[in-house]
Amino acid sequence: MTDTLTHGVELTEQAKSKVRTLIAAEGRDDLRLRVAVQPGGCSGLIYQLYFDELLEDSDVVKDFDGVEVVVDKMSVPYLDGASIDFEDTIQKQGFTIDNPNAEGSCACGDSFS
């Protein structure tokens, strides 16, 4: 990829550390964290977070000290300014996305509009 496009997604230190740990557990060095927005859920849009070894020409990549976060071109406007965190408490464990572009979300918290 030769262009210098970037995206506005941020990764907290906790999330970066967890992504590193999960990639190391996979025993691979070709994985990136992909963040996408897809139609679905009760509010209209859902987040997708997964590891991906593929990189499309239209993908936008941002490096966080060796942890690459990939966003497809169509998802970039929906995720501009979003922050990915990782919580590990007695009440909750997992990745969370704080997105200033989300106008509302459903009761389950899995989708947004």
Side-chain angles (χ1 to χ4, degrees):
M1 196 167 132
T2 58
D3 49 9
T4 58
L5 292 177
T6 189
H7 56 72
V9 176
E10 293 299 324
L11 199 61
T12 67
E13 287 298 320
Q14 296 87 344
K16 185 170 41 172
S17 175
K18 186 62 175 182
V19 170
R20 263 201 197 102
T21 300
L22 291 171
I23 289 175
E26 291 292 321
R28 296 176 59 181
D29 61 1
D30 63 337
L31 297 176
R32 301 166 182 89
L33 179 64
R34 180 173 291 278
V35 186
V37 172
Q38 299 290 323
C42 32
S43 290
L45 298 170
I46 57 172
Y47 297 112
Q48 291 188 328
L49 246 62
Y50 58 96
F51 292 120
D52 197 353
E53 71 275 0
L54 300 176
L55 192 60
E56 302 294 329
D57 289 339
S58 61
D59 285 339
V60 184
V61 182
K62 190 172 182 180
D63 186 273
F64 294 89
D65 301 321
V67 174
E68 290 182 324
V69 176
V70 179
V71 179
D72 64 272
K73 188 176 181 179
M74 297 301 288
S75 297
V76 168
Y78 295 104
L79 294 169
D80 189 41
S83 177
I84 301 172
D85 195 10
F86 184 80
E87 293 185 37
D88 190 4
T89 66
I90 197 164
Q91 296 173 327
K92 183 177 186 178
Q93 183 181 41
F95 289 97
T96 61
I97 299 177
D98 180 18
N99 187 349
N101 301 305
E103 294 175 4
S105 64
C106 63
C108 68
D110 290 336
S111 67
F112 70 99
S113 59

